Structure formats: C-alpha cells, structure tokens
Amino acid sequence: MLPRLVSSFGSAAGVWGRGAFGIVLQQLVHVARAGSPLSTMAGVTFEERGTPNSEDYRIYYRNADGPISPFHDIPLYADAEKKVFNMVVEVPRWTNAKMEIATGERLNPIKQDTKKGKLRYVANVFPHHGYIWNYGALPQTWENPHVTDESTGFMGDNDPIDVCELGSKVCRRGEVLQVKVLGVLAMIDEGETDWKLLAINVDDPLAEQLNDVADVEKLMPGYLSATVEWLRLYKVPDGKPENKFAFNGEAKDREFAHSVISDTADHWRELVTGKADAGGLDIHAVTVDDAQMKLEKDEAEAVLAGAPTLHPPAPLDNSAVNKVSFLSNSN
C-alpha cells in the first residue's frame, strides 16, 4: 500500500530556516528589527537587547504600563473557561540555539543558555534538525524541585513547565502564543521530572480537529514517536545518557495534562508568594498583587534601561548549528 498524505506543514520558513541561507536570513531580520519593540499577545510587546548569538543577548517584555516578567506577570490563561493557555516561545522550530527564560535574573528575560563559558546549541541527531516544534514554556508555572511528583517519583526541575507546540507556523523567538494543550510526556532528565506539554496554536489550521493526544497520531502520524525519540536522544551527542520517561514514554491525555498544569500553577503561586524556597530564582513580580517581592514600575524601567541596546548579530557558530550526529542502535 502506498503512503497517503494526511497533513502537511505549509510554511516555507521551515526549509529556508536551515543551512547557510537561513543563517543569513536570520541575521538580516535581526538588523531590521533593531530598536523596535515587537508585538505579541494583546497588550504585550517584547524587545531584544544586546547582541544576538552572544552571552549578553536578552528578550524583555512589557505591557502598557511598563516592563514585566514573562515568568511571573504574563497570565497562565488566555481563556480559563476554554482552557486556552499563553505560551512563551523560547525556541522557534528548526533552530538550534538553546534559549530559555532566565529564571534567576530580574524581569526574567529570555537568554541563550551557556555551558563552560560557551553558548549552547542543541545537537542535530539524524534525521532531525534543530528543535522539531516551537518550544517554550507556560508562564506562572513552576516544577518544584523540593516536591516529589506522585506520577514520576522524581522532584521537579526548577523551571516553568515546557511546551512543544506542534502547529505549522514557525514562530518568532519571544512570541506569546495562545495554545490548547493536547497531552503531556513525563520526561526524566538526570533524575528530575521535566514535563513536556504537547500543544497546538489555536490559530493553526488543524486546531479545531486536534482536541486530545489521540488526535495527534491521526492527523500527524509519526510526530509523537519522533518527539519521544528527539527528547530521548538530544543530549547523547554531548556525552550524556539517554533521557528516560515515566509511563514507558506514553503521552498522557489532555485531562491528565491539565491536572499537571494545575499542580505546577499551584507550586508557582507558593513560589511567588514566598511560601516555597526560591533558592536562586528571582521572584520579583510587577503585576502579581500578593507577590512577596514586588517590583515597582520605575524599578522595572531601570532594569530595562540598564540592558545594552540591540546590535547586529555576532557570527553564528556554524559548526554547532550544522553538524549532524548519527547514533547507533546501541545508544
């Protein structure tokens, strides 16, 4: 029987974003954006600071009143009744730079992670290139590293809960999407629970047909298994062991995922109100009324004013971005 087309990604950006042409295109876009705030969800903009592809690069957020934290001040829900969530996009699909919300910095901007003084790029494990979804986090959530998760038997990873957005649009770094959650994978990363939500942009052409995790396999056959494979292997080229999964790598359904989100939202509330040990996290919030550490408008503006202005990107580490790793079945 011949394969049949079930659905496809319609954006050429997924192809153009690869290789040398994609690198040049990304750099030209960064230069064109210099100094101009970019709109995202209603009432919220983000602006880039520093030099892309360097350690001082940051993405800050603001609402109509001033700078805000994407960790603490962007609401978890875009529509609580319909269970539509806000998602902060840290990494656009097909890109390699390991960007993340800087949970330990004031205003929690997005920055590129580093290791041993070098910028981190996710490895390309054949046949994948970069992240295979738009990757980010839900605001106002926290995987508590002091509490053992009943489902996995491991404590949380000390970050907002991660999201793999499966839609056809290749998003911009820093964009805030409205998504509905379809399911969740329970990844165990070096002895910590690291939930991976599976979600779809509510504006995606397939959004109305995707309502639970079973629908993903029907409309996007192979995407779930590729996701598990990607998450299992992506650290192996760096000399680390494969990641493990609770539930034998089975994706749990929407209802289960919503319960996980609710738990992480409760943990975040305890964090921001000072009822949980923050450790090295910065819990200053601008808009959260009962936050233990309030950041006034003028203080938030001062933080942003102290960030370097946006400059053209530094040369990209092509060896890190374009190298492909081939793994044997024994890994």
Side-chain angles (χ1 to χ4, degrees), residues 9 83-87 93 133-134 138 163-169 171 177-183 197-212 215-216 219-220 223 254:
F9 287 157
K83 292 289 196 299
V84 176
F85 301 89
N86 287 313
M87 170 191 172
R93 186 165 66 254
W133 352 256
N134 296 303
L138 294 188
V163 187
C164 303
E165 192 280 313
L166 310 178
S168 58
K169 177 183 176 181
C171 295
L177 299 181
Q178 284 66 59
V179 302
K180 60 180 180 179
V181 170
L182 309 172
L197 296 170
L198 306 169
I200 186 73
N201 185 344
V202 295
D203 293 327
D204 190 85
L206 292 178
E208 290 189 5
Q209 301 174 66
L210 290 167
N211 295 297
D212 213 323
D215 299 325
V216 178
L219 295 173
M220 298 175 163
Y223 209 172
R254 170 183 171 153

Side-chain angles (χ1 to χ4, degrees), residues 50-284:
T51 303
N53 308 323
S54 78
E55 291 188 38
D56 75 353
Y57 176 66
R58 299 289 187 275
I59 298 175
Y60 288 91
Y61 291 78
R62 63 166 63 242
N63 63 15
D65 296 321
I68 59 172
S69 161
F71 186 7
H72 304 305
D73 295 311
I74 292 178
L76 170 59
Y77 287 100
D79 187 326
E81 183 177 350
K82 295 181 179 179
K83 292 289 196 299
V84 176
F85 301 89
N86 287 313
M87 170 191 172
V88 178
V89 177
E90 298 165 317
V91 186
R93 186 165 66 254
W94 310 138
T95 64
N96 297 73
K98 193 176 187 306
M99 311 298 296
E100 58 185 21
I101 293 173
T103 55
E105 294 185 16
R106 196 64 44 88
L107 285 179
N108 311 116
I110 292 177
K111 70 171 185 178
Q112 188 166 355
D113 191 21
T114 60
K115 183 177 182 180
K116 296 181 180 179
K118 293 185 177 181
L119 297 172
R120 290 187 65 187
Y121 296 89
V122 73
N124 300 309
V125 177
F126 184 83
H128 308 300
H129 186 284
Y131 286 73
I132 63 173
W133 352 256
N134 296 303
Y135 188 74
L138 294 188
Q140 296 188 340
T141 63
W142 179 52
E143 296 192 54
N144 193 334
H146 312 296
V147 174
T148 299
D149 190 285
E150 293 182 1
S151 299
T152 67
F154 295 92
M155 296 181 181
D157 72 347
N158 204 30
D159 283 322
I161 193 168
D162 296 322
V163 187
C164 303
E165 192 280 313
L166 310 178
S168 58
K169 177 183 176 181
V170 178
C171 295
R172 291 192 305 197
R173 181 188 296 162
E175 191 172 351
V176 180
L177 299 181
Q178 284 66 59
V179 302
K180 60 180 180 179
V181 170
L182 309 172
V184 66
L185 290 164
M187 193 176 88
I188 309 302
D189 185 355
E190 299 184 30
E192 296 177 333
T193 302
D194 190 1
W195 293 105
K196 305 296 183 185
L197 296 170
L198 306 169
I200 186 73
N201 185 344
V202 295
D203 293 327
D204 190 85
L206 292 178
E208 290 189 5
Q209 301 174 66
L210 290 167
N211 295 297
D212 213 323
V213 70
D215 299 325
V216 178
E217 190 59 30
K218 292 177 184 176
L219 295 173
M220 298 175 163
Y223 209 172
L224 283 179
S225 59
T227 293
V228 173
E229 177 186 74
W230 192 100
L231 292 169
R232 181 170 59 87
L233 297 176
Y234 79 98
K235 289 187 176 182
V236 173
D238 297 327
K240 293 190 175 183
E242 295 181 3
N243 286 319
K244 306 298 183 183
F245 293 87
F247 311 114
N248 295 316
E250 175 191 355
K252 305 300 285 184
D253 64 14
R254 170 183 171 153
E255 182 178 358
F256 187 96
H258 284 165
S259 70
V260 172
I261 295 170
S262 179
D263 288 343
T264 59
D266 290 343
H267 289 312
W268 170 82
R269 176 63 61 182
E270 293 173 350
L271 173 71
V272 80
T273 56
K275 297 176 183 177
D277 181 8
L281 303 183
D282 191 296
I283 60 171
H284 285 81

